[in-house]
Amino acid sequence: MKVTPEASENQPDRTTQNQNQDSPLDPQASEEGLSLSELRSIRIQKVDQLKDLGINPYPMSFEVTHHAAILHRESDQYIQDPPEIGPIIRIAGRIMTRRVMGKASFFNLQDSTGTIQIYLRENELPEGYYQNVFKRLIDLGDIVGVRGYLFRTRTGELTLHATEFELLTKTVRPIPIAKETETESGEKVVHDAFSDKEQRYRQRYVDLIVNPHVRDTFRKRTAMVQSMRQFMNASGYLEVETPILQPVYGGASARPFVTHHNALDMTLYLRIANELYLKRLIIGGYDGVYEFSKDFRNEGLSRFHNPEFTQVELYVAYKDYLWMMEFTESMIEQVALDLHGSTKVQVGEHLLDFKTPWRRIPLLDSISAAVGTDVSIMDKSDLRTLANKNGITTDSSMGKAKLLDELFGELVEPTIIQPTFFIDYPIEMSPLAKKHPSKPGLVERFEAICNGKEIANAFSELNDPIDQRERLEDQASLRTGGDEEAMQLDEDFLRALEYGMPPTAGLGVGIDRLAMIMTNSESIRDVLFFPQMRPE
């Protein structure tokens, strides 16, 4: 396309280039002090100017043949002597920095895999395009496609010599670009980085553009899920889907989100767990089923809690919690190996080692050691007194299970760094777990604790329908007494259980919390693309 100087003689020169470069053409001098609305207005004007020149600022497509990471990794096979006879490369991405000179320019193009430097010359573009389009109407953040060949500069930097240039998306809102300066002592100082956490969580799309390491975090999360899925598939278990909207919620102790189905005129709940549906499938005859599920609990926000979260639940017939402990530690060990090439994972200041076997500690023993007295013989009143003595707030609705859970969560759990199984829970804490055959008052349950937080929970599943009904009725009594997190009585599940469920081991693994560990992230919000936030 020919773009003549006359076609744009009235257009202001607002060239945007690398903020880190000193150049008489640096447009920042003209943009400094402008408000966001003014900058947007200028870019919207550029959209109109492009259209006046016959250039579509938003074309339909662009054929991409290569990506930045591959070009860097396999550069030797693409660079020929002379470079012009090398393979033709077609790459697309976002302009992140620019260094504009008189008749040639360099810019960094960022695609989904990384960045690569692009070299552009005026005499290789259509007449007038370089001066009147590239220099005047192209900005940082614009998405472009280029075609050319690879070479290395005198300093050895891999560069794509562009023989064709095409605007693919004109941005009308400037992206935040960090500016780096150097002090007299040689210290580098970064200004205007997009680093405010709340802003990053609210505008994840910007976070992903300007902080490439964030994209790597989510790639690792996906790789973690794939590793777990492959591990369970290799064991012969079936991946399934169960309802998110449920007429009766259960499988955990939590408050639900409530909605209404208009056509059926009935109350429905967003699931807090998928346990009871997966058990129905074991009753139906499957030997092993699992589901990566989105669950929803109407609770507070914290560094470890989001109302919408992901977990994987697995149920395997003819197994118990001892078998499931070995399966769990082996699966997570494999995750560490797949993501890091080692069983050791650095998390903050701690080096965690997921090599099997993990430690196993009876739950009540751990609480007793923390408080200096035997909690196994205490009743509800004694536990409440003990909790208050240790600075834990209680209320009259808390039963023995809740009080023990609070003591463990406050005094023991935060101190556990290396992956550890806590086993054999009081029956009051586990209404869906099978009674321990040799330890009265306890059930066959474990929780896996790592880096101060629970990452997995598992039972030898209760399959006695009479016992299960009694325990769910006890839960109903707790609800009547004011415990909003106590379970509901699910008559259909009890009916299914009466048809007979084989001995079964069940497991739930918190995907978000495990991802925090495997990606060395401080907050659950760092591993959720779009975490729940308070209104702006």
Side-chain angles (χ1 to χ4, degrees):
M1 175 187 297
K2 182 176 181 179
V3 181
T4 64
E6 291 77 15
S8 57
E9 61 182 359
N10 295 321
Q11 297 170 5
D13 186 351
R14 296 191 181 277
T15 311
T16 303
Q17 65 184 104
N18 188 350
Q19 298 179 29
N20 301 334
Q21 301 294 332
D22 294 322
S23 165
L25 293 175
D26 190 344
Q28 294 305 116
S30 62
E31 291 192 350
E32 287 181 0
L34 296 180
S35 67
L36 175 60
S37 61
E38 290 172 325
L39 291 172
R40 288 184 68 249
S41 178
I42 290 170
R43 292 202 179 196
I44 291 172
Q45 291 175 28
K46 291 181 180 181
V47 171
D48 293 335
Q49 292 164 6
L50 286 163
K51 291 178 180 178
D52 291 342
L53 292 171
I55 298 173
N56 181 0
Y58 307 101
M60 299 298 292
S61 63
F62 182 84
E63 181 187 358
V64 174
T65 61
H66 295 80
H67 290 88
I70 294 176
L71 295 178
H72 282 286
R73 188 168 59 245
E74 303 175 2
S75 59
D76 290 345
Q77 74 180 61
Y78 293 109
I79 299 178
Q80 304 293 328
D81 188 17
E84 293 88 339
I85 68 171
I88 298 300
I89 307 297
R90 295 176 63 88
I91 190 170
R94 199 180 290 269
I95 297 176
M96 300 303 291
T97 63
R98 295 212 306 177
R99 182 157 53 93
V100 178
M101 298 170 285
K103 296 186 177 182
S105 295
F106 288 94
F107 67 88
N108 277 358
L109 180 146
Q110 176 180 283
D111 67 9
S112 63
T113 68
T115 61
I116 189 167
Q117 179 170 268
I118 309 294
Y119 174 63
L120 199 66
R121 285 200 309 215
E122 178 179 8
N123 63 358
E124 293 180 310
L125 298 179
E127 183 181 346
Y129 194 97
Y130 181 80
Q131 295 294 336
N132 301 307
V133 178
F134 181 77
K135 290 176 66 174
R136 295 175 182 270
L137 303 179
I138 302 299
D139 293 296
L140 293 184
D142 288 352
I143 299 173
V144 301
V146 296
R147 181 180 184 272
Y149 54 86
L150 280 184
F151 74 103
R152 289 193 181 275
T153 64
R154 292 176 184 175
T155 60
E157 183 169 358
L158 186 68
T159 303
L160 180 68
H161 184 134
T163 56
E164 295 181 17
F165 175 97
E166 181 179 355
L167 175 64
L168 301 179
T169 300
K170 178 64 191 168
T171 57
V172 297
R173 184 182 291 263
I175 61 173
I177 298 292
K179 180 178 180 181
E180 188 177 90
T181 59
E182 191 171 304
T183 64
E184 293 182 358
S185 62
E187 180 184 0
K188 292 184 177 180
V189 180
V190 177
H191 307 275
D192 302 323
F194 192 70
S195 57
D196 179 83
K197 287 193 172 183
E198 182 167 337
Q199 196 175 23
R200 287 177 51 220
Y201 299 149
R202 290 187 185 279
Q203 301 180 37
R204 182 67 82 189
Y205 37 89
V206 180
D207 190 26
L208 294 167
I209 292 170
V210 301
N211 294 317
H213 69 277
V214 176
R215 296 204 300 271
D216 291 335
T217 293
F218 286 97
R219 287 193 183 97
K220 286 181 180 178
R221 178 189 169 113
T222 296
M224 182 190 82
V225 170
Q226 289 174 339
S227 174
M228 299 173 76
R229 176 175 280 115
Q230 290 168 1
F231 194 91
M232 288 183 285
N233 286 345
S235 300
Y237 306 136
L238 179 69
E239 184 170 9
V240 298
E241 294 181 347
T242 62
I244 293 175
L245 289 174
Q246 301 178 351
V248 179
Y249 64 90
S253 296
R255 285 184 294 177
F257 288 94
V258 185
T259 187
H260 186 80
H261 191 286
N262 291 334
L264 296 177
D265 190 23
M266 65 182 293
T267 298
L268 291 173
Y269 305 91
L270 295 181
R271 69 180 171 202
I272 60 174
N274 54 352
E275 174 172 343
L276 302 187
Y277 282 92
L278 292 176
K279 287 180 179 179
R280 287 170 168 94
L281 298 181
I282 295 295
I283 292 167
Y286 291 106
D287 283 340
V289 292
Y290 72 91
E291 180 179 16
F292 287 92
S293 64
K294 279 286 188 182
D295 293 338
F296 308 84
R297 298 181 183 176
N298 202 343
E299 57 189 17
L301 302 171
S302 79
R303 193 161 65 93
F304 297 99
H305 296 86
N306 192 70
E308 176 183 351
F309 63 97
T310 305
Q311 64 177 342
V312 61
E313 291 204 31
L314 166 70
Y315 292 82
V316 182
Y318 310 110
K319 305 295 184 182
D320 64 5
Y321 81 135
L322 295 174
W323 176 90
M324 188 61 84
M325 262 187 272
E326 294 181 359
F327 183 92
T328 302
E329 63 188 0
S330 296
M331 179 170 65
I332 297 180
E333 178 188 55
Q334 187 61 51
V335 168
L337 290 169
D338 288 344
L339 267 63
H340 299 280
S342 169
T343 61
K344 296 181 179 180
V345 178
Q346 189 72 43
V347 181
E349 61 184 5
H350 302 295
L351 184 63
L352 309 185
D353 193 350
F354 291 94
K355 184 175 178 58
T356 62
W358 302 354
R359 286 190 305 164
R360 289 152 168 76
I361 302 174
L363 178 83
L364 293 180
D365 289 358
S366 71
I367 300 174
S368 297
V371 299
T373 187
D374 186 359
V375 297
S376 66
I377 59 174
M378 290 186 174
D379 60 18
K380 182 170 63 174
S381 176
D382 293 333
L383 289 171
R384 180 173 288 108
T385 300
L386 181 63
N388 293 334
K389 180 181 177 181
N390 282 276
I392 299 172
T393 302
T394 65
D395 61 60
S396 59
S397 70
M398 289 183 174
K400 185 176 179 180
K402 185 69 173 176
L403 292 166
L404 286 169
D405 191 46
E406 289 292 323
L407 286 164
F408 178 74
E410 291 292 328
L411 305 179
V412 180
E413 190 174 19
T415 69
I416 305 302
I417 303 303
Q418 296 300 328
T420 303
F421 289 122
F422 287 86
I423 63 174
D424 301 340
Y425 282 54
I427 191 170
E428 296 88 350
M429 296 180 71
S430 310
L432 298 172
K434 185 174 288 189
K435 292 177 181 176
H436 199 290
S438 61
K439 299 178 181 178
L442 302 182
V443 296
E444 291 193 334
R445 174 186 175 185
F446 72 78
E447 285 186 304
I449 308 297
C450 180
N451 201 41
K453 276 296 176 182
E454 172 201 346
I455 58 172
N457 185 27
F459 311 145
S460 293
E461 300 294 340
L462 178 58
N463 60 344
D464 178 344
I466 309 303
D467 188 0
Q468 183 66 88
R469 176 175 290 277
E470 291 174 354
R471 293 204 223 169
L472 288 180
E473 287 175 348
D474 289 341
Q475 287 285 302
S477 297
L478 291 174
R479 288 181 61 83
T480 303
D483 186 349
E484 296 181 355
E485 296 185 353
M487 294 186 192
Q488 288 187 316
L489 189 66
D490 188 335
E491 287 290 353
D492 181 70
F493 171 66
L494 291 171
R495 176 172 58 189
L497 208 58
E498 290 180 355
Y499 282 98
M501 184 174 77
T504 298
L507 168 71
V509 179
I511 296 299
D512 306 319
R513 288 188 181 176
L514 186 58
M516 288 173 60
I517 290 170
M518 291 296 169
T519 62
N520 193 12
S521 298
E522 293 183 353
S523 170
I524 194 171
R525 295 180 178 183
D526 294 323
V527 296
L528 300 174
F529 273 128
F530 304 106
Q532 192 68 43
M533 304 287 290
R534 297 184 185 278
E536 291 186 77

